[in-house]
Amino acid sequence: MNRFTYTRPGDMAAAVREVAAEPAARIIAGGTNLVDLMKYNVERPARLVDITRLPGLDTIEPTPSGGIRIGALVTNSAVAYDERIGRRYPLLASAILAGASPQLRNAASTGGNLLQRTRCYYFYDPGTGCNKRKPGSGCPAKAGLNRIHAILGTSEHCIATHPSDMCVGLAALEATVRATGSNGDRTIPFEDFHRLPGDHPEIDTTLAHDEIITAVDLPPEDFSAHHTYLKLRDRLSYAFALVSVAAALELDGDRIKTARFALGGVAHKPWRDAMAEQSLRDRPASTDSFAQAADIALTDAKGYGHNDFKISLARQAIVRALAQAAAGTPQSQTDKRIR
Ligand code: SF4
């Protein structure tokens, strides 16, 4: 491990200054991903800026518009087991409980969940090339072990996936990320927060180096009546998604008024397809409608060999998740049975 300095600023302005002054600074909160990356020599920060003592970032409170604001330091467990989240945003609670382990969820922060990095094997191995870890060094995953890799939104430079479950739920709910930095405060629609790899796979998000996430806002529309988070993985706990689907519907009888679904495990960011969602509007909530939407969403899907199976798995997962959401029988993430 390389040497680094450690600082624990007392207020947000000081934290922003500490980060802005050092290009190789990293913010640390729960540390559940960053510390692993430091042990593997993937992350080599010159300065760690500990934000865990900053005031005002650890609450869950209503917003003036009727939504809920989750502070950046609220742990994943505290979000998942909050009574208001469970009642109004069970989709989010379910997505969180599908991820990691209780110990990790007790330590991981809301802001950190958004900023966790891919679990691509090559990214974690400094003995190999990897454009995300070392730009220009290649992408061995394309012709290598790519069973867990992306089928949508890839580039010639990177085919990694984003590992978060919580973010897939936040994408379907159309959350907003709040951040502050040297140029002041701003809000970022969740859709615009994570980026595709393109020519710069080393950049995961649109957050500037000197910006710190302060909160995530959930809009008033909660889809509590018709939702599910379906996660398909190699084992039923402590495994990243091969494919996951956060589905949210608003129904009028058996017809669909609003449809949203976000996919996890298939792209560099939680994946939504506006045309696929639009295709469901004013259609009956039927298997045929869901299958057509799945086909639209996966039109451009491309496998790299070991992950070819994800295309058909994603198609089936979309249909099943939308059917569960329509029926009001969301996938349970606590009893671990697949239904
Ligand atoms: Fe690196 Fe991305 Fe290729 Fe994985 S998929 S080896 S993270 S460039």
Side-chain angles (χ1 to χ4, degrees):
M1 190 183 290
N2 71 309
R3 297 177 67 84
F4 58 88
T5 60
Y6 170 85
T7 178
R8 188 189 285 164
D11 58 48
M12 183 59 83
V16 169
R17 280 197 303 274
E18 291 280 1
V19 176
E22 171 55 67
R26 290 287 183 274
I27 295 161
I28 187 163
T32 54
N33 188 209
L34 179 59
V35 173
D36 280 351
L37 290 165
M38 291 171 65
K39 289 177 178 175
Y40 284 114
N41 248 340
V42 174
E43 289 277 7
R44 298 169 59 85
R47 175 184 299 172
L48 281 186
V49 181
D50 183 344
I51 63 167
T52 53
R53 307 289 172 89
L54 295 185
L57 302 182
D58 60 351
T59 58
I60 299 175
E61 54 194 25
T63 63
S65 67
I68 294 278
R69 177 164 300 159
I70 303 168
L73 291 178
V74 180
T75 66
N76 291 181
S77 293
V79 177
Y81 293 118
D82 183 88
E83 186 276 332
R84 295 159 293 182
I85 299 293
R87 176 167 42 84
R88 292 194 52 201
Y89 304 95
L91 171 55
L92 179 59
S94 182
I96 292 171
L97 292 174
S101 66
Q103 293 90 341
L104 285 166
R105 294 194 296 265
N106 287 343
S109 67
T110 295
N113 194 309
L114 272 59
L115 296 172
Q116 65 179 299
R117 308 209 68 189
T118 184
R119 264 53 175 195
C120 171
Y121 323 116
Y122 302 99
F123 178 68
Y124 278 76
D125 180 1
T128 70
C130 168
N131 288 327
K132 184 178 283 295
R133 178 171 27 79
K134 187 177 178 187
S137 62
C139 175
K142 284 194 301 181
L145 298 173
N146 52 42
R147 184 170 182 276
I148 64 170
H149 287 73
I151 55 173
L152 288 162
T154 58
S155 77
E156 61 177 308
H157 304 293
C158 181
I159 61 170
T161 56
H162 192 266
S164 171
D165 292 293
M166 184 177 88
C167 289
V168 183
L170 291 173
L173 290 168
E174 295 191 347
T176 303
V177 181
R178 300 174 69 87
T180 191
S182 302
N183 293 324
D185 301 338
R186 70 176 176 127
T187 58
I188 309 164
F190 207 81
E191 173 73 16
D192 299 333
F193 184 79
H194 295 101
R195 38 181 319 282
L196 292 177
D199 293 337
H200 289 285
E202 73 278 13
I203 304 172
D204 290 345
T205 73
T206 54
L207 204 65
H209 172 70
D210 67 349
E211 286 185 309
I212 297 174
I213 297 172
T214 57
V216 173
D217 283 1
L218 302 177
E221 198 172 18
D222 57 33
F223 296 96
S224 57
H226 293 284
H227 71 277
T228 197
Y229 187 70
L230 175 64
K231 179 175 180 178
L232 304 176
R233 44 189 157 171
D234 283 329
R235 57 175 185 264
L236 281 177
S237 69
Y238 200 44
F240 293 99
L242 294 168
V243 172
S244 67
V245 184
L249 296 174
E250 183 186 4
L251 300 180
D252 181 6
D254 71 343
R255 297 194 81 78
I256 299 167
K257 288 178 68 179
T258 307
R260 295 187 197 157
F261 61 92
L263 304 178
V266 299
H268 201 255
K269 59 185 287 187
W271 187 266
R272 287 181 64 190
D273 187 304
M275 283 179 60
E277 293 179 353
Q278 183 70 23
S279 77
L280 289 166
R281 286 195 64 172
D282 300 322
R283 293 286 309 278
S286 66
T287 301
D288 283 350
S289 304
F290 302 150
Q292 185 182 48
D295 286 340
I296 295 170
L298 295 165
T299 301
D300 296 328
K302 174 188 171 189
Y304 289 82
H306 298 291
N307 69 347
D308 291 349
F309 73 96
K310 282 193 178 186
I311 299 173
S312 61
L313 188 67
R315 186 181 189 281
Q316 295 171 68
I318 292 167
V319 174
R320 187 158 136 199
L322 288 167
Q324 287 177 350
T329 55
Q331 185 76 35
S332 168
Q333 300 301 340
T334 52
D335 69 11
K336 303 299 180 189
R337 285 175 291 177
I338 296 291
R339 288 187 284 228

